[in-house]
Amino acid sequence: MKNIFICILTTLTLLACTTKQARLEDECLYSDSKTQFCFWSPIAEQMELRIYADAQTTEAETYALRKDKNDFWHTTVKGDLAGKFYTIRSCQNGKWEEEAPGIFAKAVSVNGTRAAIIDLSKTNPDGWVQDKRPAMTDPTDIIVYETHLRDFTMSPNSGIQNKGKFLALAETGTTTADGLASGIDHLKELGITHLQILPMFDYGSIDETTLSHGKYNWGYDPINYNAPEGGYSTDPYDPACRITEAKQMIQALHQAGIRVIMDVVYNHTYNVAGCALGRVVPQYFYRLNADSSYANGSGCGNETASDHEMMRQFLVESVCYWAREYHVDGFRFDLMGIHDQETMRQIRAALDLIDPTILTYGEGWAAMSPAYPYDSLAMKQWTYRMPRVGAFSDDIRNALIGSPFDHLRGFASGNPAGKQALCFGLAGGINYNNNQFGEGWSGEPMQHVSYITCHDNYCLRDRIEVSAPEETEETRLRMNKLAQTAVLVSQGMTFIYGGEELYRTKLGIDNSYQSPDSINTIPWENKLIYNDLYEYYRQMVQIRRQHRGFRLGTAELVNKHLEFLPTDNESFVAFKMKDLKGIDTAKSLIVLLNGSSEPIDTDIPAGKYAVLAQDGKADAKGLTTVSTDKITVAPYSATILAEK
Ligand code: CA
């Protein structure tokens, strides 16, 4: 018994040493005279490194690896290996697994089947050393814009040369066919602060050898977590090319004052058998069911095990690697509810050491039930336990436009059922006024990601069309503006799905993950055709950015300054941001949201107001000035008043 106890203690000590001493990211340390390799496996009986002269040859030089006391397997190969490729193989119970790149391959061959040995320092574009994250003095400034590299650029009217590539977002001075700003310049003009890019790590659903076929995929199917996707590079056969071009994109966005958020999908891998995580240490990185089958909280056939020590370390090291090597400014965690809370806290702590302004948020849910205690998972409900990690608010989304699980209208399209949840979301998901609108789940309002649409489900135009088909387009445009206005005046962190400002449609397809470009691409011609809508969005972004009252940043301030005005109309929400002296240029702000088909007359506190938005028009400088204590709010519209 005593021996077993000592044995357990020794194992625990070793584990502790492992996490402190070794880094998974050091699996291939290149210099021009030698390359050092190290890979972790606690269960392998033997491990073997194979070095290939190129990506195709089947002939390899094989090296046996030796294990250290921390379960890392090492070897050093002399000579200059730049341009060569490697894989590893592990042997358990006398059986050799199939070869795979290491789990921390930073450069890979076409389709990511082999890891590449390169000099990373040579992948830096000119001026990379001077590259800096754009200043972010006030975290409440954040307005996130989500896009996919193809959605944003493939349109023949985008005016962008390198369509569908990292380099598309390194182009400046581009214009639509009508001569209006497109690409990066469009983002600057719109006024967003952060660009969230759909998966850009190496994923499996696009064959990089047939890119000319123009196949589309969102990319939620990770192969190599720490190398960029080859399909977005101009030469997927050159392992350095995708790295350099991803950096060029980030550099150009930084120069435009825009921060870059990576959509990371650590919750599952493309498959188990074909991925390094599944091959190198079989089963360890995944959660298993009682019968040893793979658990499937992701709905994609497997779920990773962030609660396992080295999977947790992998996540922490991986995000830090992207933050340091690529200067990535934030991470959006796909199905974050599959990860455990402790892992998210450790990720936050590790990123804080690099730069505390790096953003972290994710989907506080899973696709199916994860094989881990719910109470310990990073679910939305427990967001307050993970300071400065945010979660998407399906509360405000469903309240405003309806749930993705039905086609009902939402508050903005004439269904008052969501009024309570809308007020909850406007307050940023906190414990507001003793949980007046429901139990708060965000500790601070910026942890509540206010949004109505993202790549998942219908885009806004389609959602309103399927839920209010009998309405005219004019009315549906009013609903569109009203819904997005509510997001932009909420105390949460604002998130806009790219292309909504250009009235994008996916022709009624609510899951376009592999639909062609014709469905997914943003219609740049709409910048002129629906210019009224675009200008409204742009002005609303400005209104948010100019009025600190809409983004007070702490639950304490929200409770102090946010007051909902009494109304007995279920389709009407009225609130006041009061006593803003020292916080905002306005003494107070009044927001009136009419989700009905009738105009609503309402009393307001008597005063002199700049009208920032009214009847489907918005102007950050003010549409007009009124001195009044009564106002009429037009059907399906928002009125925003700034007290002078
Ligand atoms: Ca790929």
Side-chain angles (χ1 to χ4, degrees):
M1 212 37 207
K2 199 175 170 187
N3 279 349
I4 292 173
F5 185 59
I6 290 168
C7 186
I8 291 171
L9 265 183
T10 313
T11 312
L12 287 173
T13 312
L14 274 176
L15 271 175
C17 287
T18 303
T19 52
K20 271 184 191 155
Q21 291 170 6
R23 296 201 312 174
L24 293 164
E25 72 164 279
D26 291 338
E27 75 169 42
C28 172
L29 294 177
Y30 165 85
S31 77
D32 57 8
S33 60
K34 65 179 182 192
T35 301
Q36 294 169 273
F37 295 92
C38 98
F39 307 92
W40 180 79
S41 174
I43 57 170
E45 290 144 9
Q46 300 177 65
M47 282 194 104
E48 181 181 282
L49 170 75
R50 293 176 166 188
I51 305 277
Y52 294 93
D54 59 49
Q56 292 82 37
T57 182
T58 53
E59 283 180 31
E61 288 173 29
T62 303
Y63 298 83
L65 302 173
R66 62 176 196 289
K67 185 181 179 179
D68 70 15
K69 62 177 187 183
N70 294 323
D71 295 327
F72 276 82
W73 297 70
H74 302 263
T75 195
T76 298
V77 179
K78 291 199 169 130
D80 187 348
L81 302 190
K84 297 191 176 185
F85 294 81
Y86 70 89
T87 62
I88 53 166
R89 269 205 327 161
S90 65
C91 179
Q92 280 85 218
N93 302 320
K95 177 177 167 277
W96 284 95
E97 297 293 325
E98 286 192 62
E99 65 187 322
I103 64 170
F104 222 106
K106 296 172 181 167
V108 294
S109 64
V110 70
N111 282 334
T113 51
R114 290 178 184 170
I117 304 166
I118 61 166
D119 183 349
L120 260 184
S121 67
K122 289 188 177 157
T123 62
N124 293 343
D126 290 346
W128 186 245
V129 180
Q130 289 81 41
D131 180 64
K132 282 202 168 50
R133 305 177 196 286
M136 198 174 84
T137 47
D138 184 349
T140 72
D141 286 343
I142 298 167
I143 298 178
V144 178
Y145 181 100
E146 180 196 37
T147 200
H148 180 284
L149 279 163
R150 291 185 81 92
D151 289 32
F152 196 65
T153 64
M154 288 307 291
S155 160
N157 298 318
S158 72
I160 289 165
Q161 299 296 315
N162 294 286
K163 292 183 170 57
K165 305 293 180 190
F166 290 124
L167 291 182
L169 282 173
E171 293 179 31
T172 55
T174 60
T175 60
T176 70
D178 302 299
L180 303 173
S182 70
I184 282 189
D185 290 9
H186 171 78
L187 297 177
K188 277 172 77 174
E189 184 186 88
L190 181 58
I192 58 101
T193 62
H194 286 60
L195 182 67
Q196 178 191 308
I197 300 174
L198 266 79
M200 52 178 263
F201 52 77
D202 179 29
Y203 61 79
S205 53
I206 296 290
D207 182 353
E208 297 174 10
T209 67
T210 59
L211 293 178
S212 60
H213 298 183
K215 224 181 128 201
Y216 179 99
N217 204 289
W218 283 344
Y220 291 93
D221 39 66
I223 296 279
N224 293 295
Y225 283 105
N226 299 297
E229 162 58 21
Y232 298 135
S233 75
T234 55
D235 182 3
Y237 294 90
D238 172 358
C241 177
R242 59 181 77 185
I243 300 175
T244 300
E245 291 177 352
K247 288 176 177 174
Q248 283 179 271
M249 171 185 78
I250 292 165
Q251 184 181 35
L253 285 160
H254 283 176
Q255 282 167 2
I258 295 166
R259 289 187 168 217
V260 180
I261 297 167
M262 221 177 135
D263 189 340
V264 286
V265 190
Y266 296 110
N267 66 82
H268 73 279
T269 54
Y270 184 39
N271 51 30
V272 173
C275 290
L277 284 180
R279 283 184 182 174
V280 176
V281 190
Q283 300 194 323
Y284 174 84
F285 294 106
Y286 300 88
R287 293 195 187 117
L288 303 177
N289 296 315
D291 64 358
S292 289
S293 60
Y294 285 94
N296 187 25
S298 69
C300 299
N302 62 76
E303 75 183 65
T304 56
S306 60
D307 47 302
H308 293 185
E309 193 69 32
M310 293 306 275
M311 185 62 200
R312 178 176 290 161
Q313 187 174 336
F314 179 77
L315 262 78
V316 170
E317 286 192 36
S318 182
V319 293
C320 289
Y321 173 69
W322 285 100
R324 284 196 321 264
E325 181 67 28
Y326 288 83
H327 306 177
V328 165
D329 308 292
F331 299 90
R332 174 266 186 200
F333 292 83
D334 188 62
L335 299 184
M336 185 172 71
I338 289 177
H339 304 320
D340 65 298
Q341 293 159 24
E342 179 56 22
T343 296
M344 297 312 300
R345 284 191 290 265
Q346 290 198 18
I347 286 171
R348 190 60 264 173
L351 289 172
D352 281 345
L353 294 177
I354 298 171
D355 186 335
T357 67
I358 293 172
L359 202 54
T360 46
Y361 59 96
E363 293 181 303
W365 49 70
M368 294 163 81
S369 274
Y372 199 69
Y374 181 85
D375 190 56
S376 298
L377 290 169
M379 294 290 183
K380 182 187 80 173
Q381 184 182 347
W382 313 125
T383 303
Y384 66 90
R385 297 180 184 168
M386 301 175 283
R388 293 189 300 117
V389 175
F392 284 94
S393 172
D394 49 354
D395 309 72
I396 195 168
R397 178 195 73 192
N398 295 353
L400 281 165
I401 63 168
S403 155
F405 302 112
D406 58 46
H407 285 175
L408 299 177
R409 297 184 184 208
F411 180 91
S413 43
N415 178 359
K419 180 174 176 177
Q420 184 102 343
L422 171 57
C423 295
F424 176 85
L426 289 167
I430 58 166
N431 175 347
Y432 172 77
N433 196 18
N434 297 317
N435 290 326
Q436 181 184 351
F437 302 115
E439 196 172 338
W441 50 257
S442 71
E444 299 293 354
M446 290 296 284
Q447 287 180 280
H448 174 278
V449 181
S450 299
Y451 83 118
I452 37 176
T453 51
C454 66
H455 63 276
D456 278 322
N457 309 314
Y458 291 114
C459 59
L460 185 54
R461 174 177 175 171
D462 292 358
R463 172 72 207 193
I464 293 173
E465 266 181 36
V466 299
S467 50
E470 61 276 36
E471 303 289 356
T472 63
E473 182 172 72
E474 190 208 335
T475 300
R476 292 201 300 262
L477 281 162
R478 298 177 74 87
M479 295 168 170
N480 182 313
K481 291 175 181 172
L482 173 61
Q484 209 69 263
T485 302
V487 168
L488 282 157
V489 296
S490 85
Q491 293 290 331
M493 185 185 92
T494 303
F495 174 104
I496 299 172
Y497 180 39
E500 301 293 26
E501 79 283 15
L502 300 179
Y503 207 41
R504 76 181 297 171
T505 172
K506 296 188 194 175
L507 302 178
I509 293 171
D510 66 348
N511 184 3
S512 66
Y513 78 101
Q514 57 175 4
S515 298
D517 290 327
S518 57
I519 297 297
N520 279 301
T521 195
I522 291 175
W524 286 100
E525 60 275 16
N526 280 2
K527 192 162 177 181
L528 183 65
I529 299 169
Y530 292 97
N531 194 255
D532 171 73
L533 183 79
Y534 172 67
E535 275 302 315
Y536 185 87
Y537 272 60
R538 194 171 76 83
Q539 289 298 331
M540 276 309 307
V541 166
Q542 287 309 313
I543 288 168
R544 180 176 183 80
R545 293 198 65 172
Q546 288 176 22
H547 290 281
R548 194 64 164 66
F550 292 128
R551 42 194 182 85
L552 293 168
T554 70
E556 191 188 347
L557 286 172
V558 173
N559 267 303
K560 189 174 165 197
H561 296 280
L562 170 59
E563 179 188 351
F564 284 89
L565 304 175
T567 162
D568 50 13
N569 187 329
E570 279 305 295
S571 292
F572 188 58
V573 167
F575 69 87
K576 179 178 180 183
M577 304 309 307
K578 62 185 180 187
D579 307 327
L580 294 179
K581 195 176 172 198
I583 295 174
D584 200 302
T585 50
K587 286 184 195 157
S588 72
L589 295 161
I590 290 177
V591 176
L592 310 165
L593 306 171
N594 179 0
S596 78
S597 58
E598 300 296 327
I600 293 176
D601 298 321
T602 188
D603 293 335
I604 55 168
K608 186 179 178 191
Y609 297 100
V611 181
L612 305 182
Q614 189 172 44
D615 195 16
K617 300 279 176 214
D619 188 338
K621 295 193 187 79
L623 296 159
T624 177
T625 300
V626 294
S627 291
T628 183
D629 61 356
K630 282 187 175 38
I631 205 151
T632 301
V633 186
Y636 299 119
S637 78
T639 297
I640 302 175
L641 307 170
E643 190 185 0
K644 296 199 166 206

